[in-house]
Amino acid sequence: MKKKVTTHTILKMKRGGEKLAALTSYDFLSTRLIDDTGIDLIVVGDSLGMVIMGYENTIPVTMEEMIHHLKAVTRARPSAMVVGDMPFMSYQASVEDAVRNAGRLVKEGGAESVKLEGGSRYVPVVEAIVHASIPVVGHLGLTPQSLHQMGGYRIQGRDDRSAAVMVDDAIALEKAGCFSIVLEGIPWQLAQSITEKVSIPTIGIGAGVHCDGQVLVLNDMLGIHDRPLPRFVKVYDNLGERIRKAVGEYVEDVKAGRFPAIEHSYMFPKKKDGSASGDDDNS
Ligand code: KIV
């Protein structure tokens, strides 16, 4: 079994030039399965709003929903470090809210660190959460909770000015105490430049190969989705199609009376005189 991944492990990986592999997970069994692969970080992302809850975007996700899914994930006791996403409006209104809600993700959900979206203006929030002994992951670039402000899911940092602001944001987040930063939907050259300028690991999603690590939404990379995927997703399997095929065969079998077969059925136990046959296996 892999040794528990901690903030120290993550920081050491950057120093040693070791790439970090992260995925999202939202439930107990998926967590068990992916943890066996040696994954380093499991993000219980607010992407669960779309992937699990069927919302249009991440904005409606609540603290209660995050805690519910965090509990399922942390019950699997993964070796990977568990990051709990702070949902929209759980940290934007005040520093007190932020600390209290980060505390809930850790205390009730079992998260080992929390992630929040935004740059320099969240420095006081990051500092206060870190001060409460909760490790924080920053998140810059295409930050889905700012969907309306961005005017859609647009690649960020494409012009010199916004790229420079993002570099400053990353440096500010490191100074505030973040132990890593997710970089989402930005040009790879900008991600490379940020990665070189900070001593904490950058974890890219749609940010090119030069980040210190990568993260993807588990369902996307497994091919379980109901909408077009962004180009940064590499689809490693087509489980969506395979689920459809398997369930389709099941439906046909039931309708045709081919399922259950005798091997899926129970029988009476053998009588003492040995007349009625059967087995006693109730499994
Ligand atoms: O919500 C999410 O799943 C995320 C990860 C992709 C980092 O923020």
Side-chain angles (χ1 to χ4, degrees):
M1 196 180 153
K2 196 178 172 195
K3 239 178 103 189
K4 183 71 195 167
V5 177
T6 66
T7 48
H8 290 280
T9 326
I10 308 270
L11 290 164
K12 219 166 97 190
M13 285 172 77
K14 169 135 183 167
R15 287 198 292 272
E18 193 186 335
K19 291 269 189 186
L20 207 149
L23 279 174
T24 67
S25 185
Y26 317 108
D27 67 87
F28 174 82
L29 272 180
S30 305
T31 304
R32 276 273 160 93
L33 286 172
I34 67 173
D35 197 52
D36 281 348
T37 66
I39 195 99
D40 302 300
L41 269 182
I42 291 175
V43 183
V44 182
D46 61 356
S47 51
L48 69 82
M50 285 104 94
V51 178
I52 306 291
M53 311 294 297
Y55 298 146
E56 264 305 297
N57 49 54
T58 58
I59 289 173
V61 176
T62 65
M63 278 296 295
E64 270 55 45
E65 286 162 348
M66 290 308 305
I67 290 169
H68 176 80
H69 287 279
L70 264 167
K71 279 181 170 171
V73 166
T74 55
R75 254 179 232 128
R77 302 195 164 276
S79 301
M81 183 181 215
V82 178
V83 184
D85 230 350
M86 299 206 56
F88 183 58
M89 288 318 291
S90 69
Y91 58 96
Q92 284 88 345
S94 73
V95 171
E96 285 73 22
D97 267 6
V99 175
R100 207 159 283 124
N101 285 321
R104 287 192 68 198
L105 295 185
V106 173
K107 200 171 164 123
E108 298 174 45
E112 292 148 352
S113 57
V114 300
K115 177 169 81 59
L116 57 89
E117 298 178 6
S120 303
R121 70 193 147 114
Y122 287 101
V123 160
V125 169
V126 172
E127 282 173 344
I129 297 174
V130 172
H131 192 68
S133 307
I134 299 172
V136 180
V137 179
H139 188 157
L140 294 173
L142 194 170
T143 44
Q145 292 176 15
S146 310
L147 165 70
H148 300 310
Q149 193 177 42
M150 291 183 302
Y153 296 116
R154 292 165 182 280
I155 301 305
Q156 302 292 302
R158 273 192 150 145
D159 58 87
D160 290 350
R161 209 192 70 82
S162 63
V165 169
M166 211 180 299
V167 170
D168 289 347
D169 280 344
I171 293 168
L173 288 178
E174 176 177 14
K175 276 204 188 119
C178 284
F179 75 95
S180 91
I181 306 175
V182 169
L183 299 177
E184 178 164 354
I186 62 172
W188 65 263
Q189 298 91 335
L190 173 57
Q192 180 177 27
S193 158
I194 292 174
T195 302
E196 286 165 2
K197 286 189 169 73
V198 294
S199 57
I200 54 175
T202 57
I203 305 173
I205 173 161
V209 75
H210 298 290
C211 296
D212 299 302
Q214 297 294 327
V215 61
L216 282 176
V217 169
L218 178 64
N219 299 53
D220 291 351
M221 59 89 78
L222 292 178
I224 311 173
H225 58 94
D226 69 345
R227 56 183 103 192
L229 296 176
R231 70 180 257 191
F232 64 74
V233 179
K234 179 171 174 184
V235 180
Y236 285 81
D237 205 330
N238 208 342
L239 287 196
E241 262 319 299
R242 287 164 61 175
I243 290 171
R244 233 179 245 127
K245 183 168 173 291
V247 174
E249 282 172 21
Y250 163 74
V251 171
E252 279 175 20
D253 277 357
V254 170
K255 305 250 178 214
R258 286 190 297 265
F259 177 81
I262 195 71
E263 66 266 29
H264 309 117
S265 309
Y266 298 105
M267 301 168 203
F268 283 124
K270 265 188 192 136
K271 284 196 179 141
K272 283 216 178 77
D273 63 7
S275 57
S277 64
D279 60 38
D280 293 331
D281 182 4
N282 282 317
S283 62

